[in-house]
Amino acid sequence: MKNKPISQNTGTVISLRGSVVDILFDDHLPPIHSLLRTGTENQIAIEVFSQLDARRVRGIALTPTQGLERGMLVEDSGGSLQAPVGKGILSRMFDVFGNAIDRQAMPTDIQWRSVHHMPPALAQRSTKSKIFETGIKLIDVLMPLERGGKAGLFGGAGVGKTVLLTEMIHNMVGQHAGVSIFCGIGERCREGEELYREMKAAGVLENMVMIFGQMNEPPGARFRVGHAALTMAEYFRDDEQRDVLLLVDNIFRFIQAGMEVSGLMGQMPARLGYQPTMGTELSQLEERIASTNNGAITSIQAVYVPADDFTDPAAVHIFSHLSASIVLSRKRASEGLYPAIDPLQSSSKMATPGIIGTRHYKIAQKIRHTFAQYDELKDIIAMLGMEQLSPEDHNVVARARRLERFLTQPFFTTEQFTGLQGKLVSLSDALDGCESILNDEFKDYPESAFYMIGAVDEVQKNGGDQVKPEPQTATQQTSGTDES
């Protein structure tokens, strides 16, 4: 294990309050972010958070502090927290200290680097915009992701963030020649174990690294695991010159861990109890995710939205960093329209004619316009019924309902729950299907023929007579996760 003491600078524990430790140094004070070690076998790690005066520092423990007491000797490691990098970390699972947690021996062909880095300079950043296909119809058509950009999956508890993230890993690792890094911040141990098993069974582990700061770990560890994951991603981008897909589940837990650390340190809370430094801390993490001339780090981040309130300060701050926002809707989930993405609330800065092309842009705009019209007509339908609509409005409703069902998709990662075989749909197939529905080429087919299919050819192949269950109640699509 790395991060062991190499310095002769020692201090003494003088105060202990939960995870907050005050240490007295007689020689010289260790700098901010220094890693200190204490305990009977140096098993307790403390990161220096602030220097109180000429002889005292205050640190936050990254490990449980059981057994720690006043008067114990503390050793300065001579550096900051470090993460392992190199080809040897591929197909492995680590904790925040770089220890292997997959019951295998530590890899040998690795280097150790500090988790604290500056973002790439503006002059080094790439300015080219390129689409990053996911194989999920609704995302690729209406809110295309950016290669080297940041996309957020916003949603409350139980609407399918983790399922969507896992499906993206499954779809992308096959067609994505780079490296995938999965960073679990404050997630359940069970989810990490399930993901590891699924990725191993799918045969995609050899180009993947997983790092976890689990829910039961102290806030200091959860706060730093994102920085450790980015250090690994930067190695593959800058040294190996490969594209990296960084998946973060859940970035809200990073803010939550920062809030806990801030509270423990006695800082005055800001709005809704969040830490006053939330914007800075989030920016220090997010700005490191960037495209350079060497390669790109494309990030997809699940974002838990407290009480489904998108005006929450955490959600607002995260929004400002993203190139695409995918908003999950509890109402659509209850109707069985999976993935339960709200097409009118979700957006992408890539959806411009100059980037995605005129045809794609026009189709996307027509779909949004159709959904918006349908949304306005829902109140009339609820009060007066479909009979009161004009023939033109009838057509709008029929088109919107067919589009809604066509943009549902069976996932590979939920086959065991739904019994439906997963489908990966190319962007061209998805656009062709949407265009055909908008042009009323399928107006004689029942709505149920469009539900949970891949390309639109399947409607014609089945002749429209294959009965598929209408989405009345929530299906089992997200029963594999109980996100909270």
Side-chain angles (χ1 to χ4, degrees), residues 32-35 46-49 60-62 80-83 95-98 114-117 183-186 211-213 217-231 253-255 257-258 261 281 284-285 288:
I32 302 292
H33 296 324
S34 291
L35 190 74
I46 300 166
E47 186 177 72
V48 176
F49 192 87
I60 188 88
L62 307 182
S80 59
L81 180 67
Q82 295 186 315
D95 65 8
V96 69
F97 298 104
S114 169
V115 302
H116 302 284
H117 285 284
C183 175
I185 305 178
I211 180 165
F212 288 92
E217 294 184 30
R222 284 181 272 127
F223 188 62
R224 284 290 173 235
V225 71
H227 298 93
L230 268 166
T231 303
R253 305 280 180 220
F254 168 77
I255 291 176
V261 170
E281 289 167 359
Q284 285 170 345
L285 187 76
R288 288 171 65 180

Side-chain angles (χ1 to χ4, degrees), residues 56-98:
R56 292 183 305 146
V57 296
R58 178 164 290 168
I60 188 88
L62 307 182
T63 52
T65 52
Q66 284 94 333
L68 192 59
E69 57 187 40
R70 289 184 192 175
M72 272 194 167
L73 204 64
V74 180
E75 297 183 25
D76 179 5
S77 69
S80 59
L81 180 67
Q82 295 186 315
V85 298
K87 290 181 180 175
I89 67 171
L90 289 171
S91 79
R92 303 301 302 275
M93 195 192 293
F94 298 95
D95 65 8
V96 69
F97 298 104

